[in-house]
Amino acid sequence: MGYDEVLPHLGGFGPYQRRIFFLVSLPAISCAFHKLAGVFLLAKPEHRCLMPFEVANASFLSDFPMNMTYPWDGINNKWSSCERLDANFTDSYFASGQPANATITCDKWVYDDRKYESSTVTEWDMVCSKSFLTATSDSLFMVGVLLGSIIFGHLSDKMGRKPIFFASLVIQVVFGVLAGIAPEYFTYTISRIVVGATTSGVFLVAYVLAMEMVGPKWRLFAGTVMMMFFSVGYMLTAAFAYFFPAWRDLQIALTLPGLLFLCYWWFIPESARWLLSKRRKAEAIATIEKAAKENKVTIPTEVLDNLIEPEKKEDADKPAPSLFDLFRYPNLRRKSLLIFFDWFVNSGTYYGLSWNTNNLGGNDLLNFVISGAVEIPAYVFLLFTLNRWGRKTILCGCMLVAGTMLLLTMAVPEAQNWLIILLAMLGKLAITASYGTIYIFSTEQFPTVIRNVGIGAASMFARFGGILAPYFNLLGDIWKPFPLIIFGAMAFAGGLLSLFLPETLGRTLPDTIADGERFGGKDDLPEGTAEEMVELNKNSTNGNVKKSSEEA
C-alpha cells in the first residue's frame, strides 16, 4: 500500500492538512515579493542629460529652453534623454535663438525623483546605451529560477522536502540582504540570481508538500488557492514600494519577512509520501499517526502494517525513462512540442505583462496592484470551470482571449492610454487563467512513467519565456504597445495550436509509453516494426501519478 490508501481513512483535507497547507502557502507571498520586485528595483524614471553648466544634484525640472539644449527624439516624440546639443551654452548662445546643429552623447543624467526616490537605474545610470542592463538583470533572475528548479528539485527528491525548504529560506534571506547592500551592478545581479534560484526551492517545495498530503479531489483546490497566495504577495509588493521608495530599503524590507518562516521547523513535518518513497516506514507512520490524532480519526493497523510493498527486482532492472522517449513516437512528439510551446508562451506573457506595468503610463503603483488583483478572479474562474468545461476549452479560450486583448492595443490611439491599460489587464487576467490550466493539463497529457520528466522539460521551456520577456519589454521604448503585440501574437498562436491537444477531463490517464502514444491519436498502435513495438512496451511501466518540484 501507498499513501493514497491511507487518505480515505485520514481524510482528504482534514484539520491537519488545512493547517499545514495554510502554513506552507504563506511563503508563496514572500516568493512573489522577490519575483516581482524588479518592477520597482529596476524602475526607470523620467530623465534628461545633465548639462555642463549644471551642478551634480540639479533638479529634473529645468528653467532653460529645451530646444536650445536637446535635440528632438522623433521616435519617442519628445526631447532626447540620451543626447544633448554640442554647444558652449553661453548667454549669447541662448540669446541667439539658433540651436546648434551637432549633438553629443550624454555621460551624466538628472532623474525625476517624484515617483521613485531611487532605483538601481538611477544609482548606476542604466539608461540609454546601458538600458539593456535592466533587462539583463531580470533575465538573469529567471535563469536563477530555472537553475533553482533543477537543483533544488533534484535535492528535494533526494534529501527530502523539509531540509531543502529551510536551506532555500536561509540562502534567500542572506542573498536578499546582500542584494540590498550591493555596491555595484555585478554583485547585485549575482545576488538576485541566487535569490531567483531560492524562489524555486521555497515555493516549489512548499507546493509539492501541499500536493502530496491532500486527497486527489482536493488537489485542484489546493494548487489554485496556493497560487492566490502568490497573487496576494504580488499586490503587497506595491505596498512595500509605496512605503519604501528607496530601492535598497525596499529590497531589504521584502527580504526580511522570510525570517518568520524559519520557525516552521517545529511545525512542518517531512512529507509522509516522500518518506514512504524512501522506504522510511517508521517515520512515515509517525507523521500519519500525528495527522490522524489531529483529524480525530483512527488508521487501521493493517493499513499501516502494509504501507510499503516489497520492491520487485524486475521493476528495479527496467531502464529509467528519459526525455528522448517523448520524441521517439509521432503522437507523443507532436503533443510534447505543443505543450512546451504553451509553457514558453504562458510564462513569457505572464512575466512580460507583470514586469511591463511601469511602461503602460498612468500611476505605476495602481497599474501594478490591478495587474496582481486580476489574478484572483482568474483563479476563482478555474475553480468553477476546469472540472466542468474541460482543460482544453479553458486553455485554448483563455489564450485566444489574451492574444486578442493584447493585439487590440495596436489600434488604440496614444491619447487613450486608459484603454491600453484596460486591454493589458484583461490580457493579464486571461493569461493567468491559462497559466493555471497548463499545469494540470500537462500533468494529464504525459504518461505516468515519464510524467516527471515531461513536466520538468516543460518547466524549462517556461523559464526560457521568462528569460526573454524583459528584452521584449525593452521594445516599449520604441513604441509603447510593441511588447503587448508580441505577447499577444504568441498567446493567440498558442491558443490555436492547443486545439490539436486531446481533452483529458474524465479520461483515464496514460500510464505507459504505448498508452501515451495512443492517447489523442489513432485508435490503433502506431505503425512500426515488431522490434519497435517491443522496445515501446519495454520502456513502459505502470506507476502512480507523482508530483515533483519541476512541476512549477
Side-chain angles (χ1 to χ4, degrees), residues 489-509:
M490 292 196 305
F492 198 88
L496 291 177
L497 291 173
S498 298
L499 293 170
F500 295 98
L501 290 170
E503 177 58 75
T504 58
L505 180 62
R507 297 282 304 276
T508 299
L509 301 187

Side-chain angles (χ1 to χ4, degrees), residues 12 65 97 104 149 237 283 315-316 324 363 446 470 528:
I104 187 172
S149 66
T237 304
E283 296 171 72
D315 289 340
F324 296 106
N363 188 306
F446 293 116

Side-chain angles (χ1 to χ4, degrees), residues 267-332:
F267 302 103
I268 301 296
E270 181 56 87
S271 167
R273 193 183 293 270
W274 179 83
L275 290 170
L276 289 174
S277 74
K278 296 299 180 181
R279 312 189 74 77
R280 291 161 60 173
K281 182 176 178 179
E283 296 171 72
I285 290 177
T287 300
I288 292 169
E289 288 178 336
K290 180 179 179 181
K293 182 178 180 181
E294 188 169 334
N295 287 353
K296 298 180 180 179
V297 297
T298 302
I299 309 294
T301 304
E302 58 271 18
V303 173
L304 296 177
D305 290 341
N306 297 301
L307 266 178
I308 302 177
E309 293 181 352
E311 185 176 11
K312 297 179 181 179
K313 184 179 184 303
E314 56 268 27
D315 289 340
D317 293 339
K318 287 183 178 179
S322 71
L323 182 63
F324 296 106
D325 291 319
L326 293 175
F327 295 96
R328 294 175 62 189
Y329 308 101
N331 189 35
L332 266 176

Side-chain angles (χ1 to χ4, degrees), residues 203-320:
F203 178 76
L204 301 187
V205 174
Y207 185 89
V208 170
L209 271 171
M211 293 299 102
E212 288 184 337
M213 69 178 179
V214 302
K217 73 175 184 178
W218 286 99
R219 285 177 189 153
L220 171 61
F221 172 83
T224 305
V225 171
M226 181 170 282
M227 296 305 297
M228 290 184 183
F229 276 85
F230 185 91
S231 301
V232 170
Y234 190 138
M235 291 181 282
L236 286 176
T237 304
F240 275 81
Y242 177 80
F243 289 107
F244 299 95
W247 79 268
R248 293 185 183 276
D249 296 340
L250 174 62
Q251 171 62 34
I252 294 174
L254 291 172
T255 300
L256 293 181
L259 291 172
L260 299 175
F261 303 122
L262 295 179
C263 69
Y264 279 13
W265 184 265
W266 294 277
F267 302 103
I268 301 296
E270 181 56 87
S271 167
R273 193 183 293 270
W274 179 83
L275 290 170
L276 289 174
S277 74
K278 296 299 180 181
R279 312 189 74 77
R280 291 161 60 173
K281 182 176 178 179
E283 296 171 72
I285 290 177
T287 300
I288 292 169
E289 288 178 336
K290 180 179 179 181
K293 182 178 180 181
E294 188 169 334
N295 287 353
K296 298 180 180 179
V297 297
T298 302
I299 309 294
T301 304
E302 58 271 18
V303 173
L304 296 177
D305 290 341
N306 297 301
L307 266 178
I308 302 177
E309 293 181 352
E311 185 176 11
K312 297 179 181 179
K313 184 179 184 303
E314 56 268 27
D315 289 340
D317 293 339
K318 287 183 178 179

Side-chain angles (χ1 to χ4, degrees), residues 104-116:
I104 187 172
T105 302
C106 304
D107 57 0
K108 295 181 180 179
W109 288 264
V110 179
Y111 298 95
D112 185 356
D113 59 2
R114 289 173 294 179
K115 275 189 177 181
Y116 301 99

Side-chain angles (χ1 to χ4, degrees), residues 331 334-335 500-502 507 515-522:
N331 189 35
R334 177 181 60 85
K335 291 187 296 183
F500 295 98
L501 290 170
R507 297 282 304 276
D515 291 340
E517 179 62 19
R518 284 195 300 268
F519 194 77
K522 296 180 180 180

Side-chain angles (χ1 to χ4, degrees), residues 467-537:
I467 290 168
L468 290 176
Y471 293 105
F472 291 147
N473 282 337
L474 271 184
L475 299 175
D477 292 340
I478 300 174
W479 183 34
K480 187 182 297 184
F482 210 165
L484 304 181
I485 294 169
I486 293 175
F487 297 137
M490 292 196 305
F492 198 88
L496 291 177
L497 291 173
S498 298
L499 293 170
F500 295 98
L501 290 170
E503 177 58 75
T504 58
L505 180 62
R507 297 282 304 276
T508 299
L509 301 187
D511 283 327
T512 66
I513 298 292
D515 291 340
E517 179 62 19
R518 284 195 300 268
F519 194 77
K522 296 180 180 180
D523 293 334
D524 297 328
L525 286 170
E527 295 181 1
T529 64
E531 289 79 12
E532 289 173 334
M533 289 296 96
V534 169
E535 184 68 16
L536 181 76
N537 287 285

